[in-house]
Amino acid sequence: FLGTSNVNCVLTLILSDESFGFSNIRNSILSKLQHNRITTIKFNPITKRNILRVLNSILQKENIGTVTSTDLETIAENSDGDLRHAINSLQLYCTGRDRIIKADMKKKKKKGRNNKY
C-alpha cells in the first residue's frame, strides 16, 4: 500500500518490455513514490518451445485448426518470450486479422530481430 496522510491505495504498474523505453517511465514514477514500500518483480522470457506448447493447447481446446505451423512458429518467435503477447497475437490471427499479424511478421523479419532463446 502506498500511503499519504489522507489516502491509502494500491498501485500496480505492469511493463512488459523494457526495450520501448518503459524503464525511463518506471524510474520516473518510482522516484516520486516511497521506495521502501515498492516491490519490483521481473519475469524471465518464456522459451519458444513452451510458448508453442501453450498456443497448441489453446488451439486444441478451442477446436481451431486454421493456423499453420509456420504461422504459429512466427507468432511464437515474434513474442520475444512474452506469453501474453503470443496469446494476443494468436487471438488476432484467429479472428480474421491474420493480415495484420502477417504484416507485422514481415516488418520484424526485415528488422533482423535477434531472438533471445
Side-chain angles (χ1 to χ4, degrees), residues 6-108:
N6 298 326
V7 179
N8 283 320
C9 64
V10 175
L11 173 66
T12 303
L13 180 63
I14 300 172
L15 304 172
S16 63
D17 194 337
E18 298 271 331
S19 66
F20 291 112
F22 289 139
S23 61
N24 292 337
I25 296 168
R26 183 193 69 227
N27 291 339
S28 174
I29 292 169
L30 294 180
S31 69
K32 294 176 178 138
L33 301 173
Q34 297 174 342
H35 289 285
N36 61 343
R37 302 178 107 182
I38 295 174
T39 301
T40 300
I41 302 171
K42 187 169 182 156
F43 295 96
N44 294 323
I46 308 295
T47 64
K48 179 182 166 187
R49 178 180 174 201
N50 285 330
I51 288 175
L52 285 170
R53 189 177 295 156
V54 171
L55 296 181
N56 279 310
S57 174
I58 291 169
L59 292 173
Q60 185 178 26
K61 288 177 184 176
E62 297 293 329
N63 197 23
I64 300 170
T66 59
V67 182
T68 67
S69 59
T70 302
D71 287 345
L72 202 61
E73 289 260 343
T74 305
I75 289 170
E77 287 172 13
N78 287 341
S79 71
D80 289 331
D82 184 341
L83 184 58
R84 292 177 307 144
H85 181 272
I87 292 170
N88 289 335
S89 295
L90 179 64
Q91 183 180 16
L92 281 172
Y93 185 97
C94 291
T95 56
R97 292 175 177 85
D98 58 318
R99 293 175 306 230
I100 296 169
I101 301 298
K102 287 180 181 179
D104 188 47
M105 290 175 188
K106 287 178 185 175
K107 286 180 193 174
K108 288 184 179 183

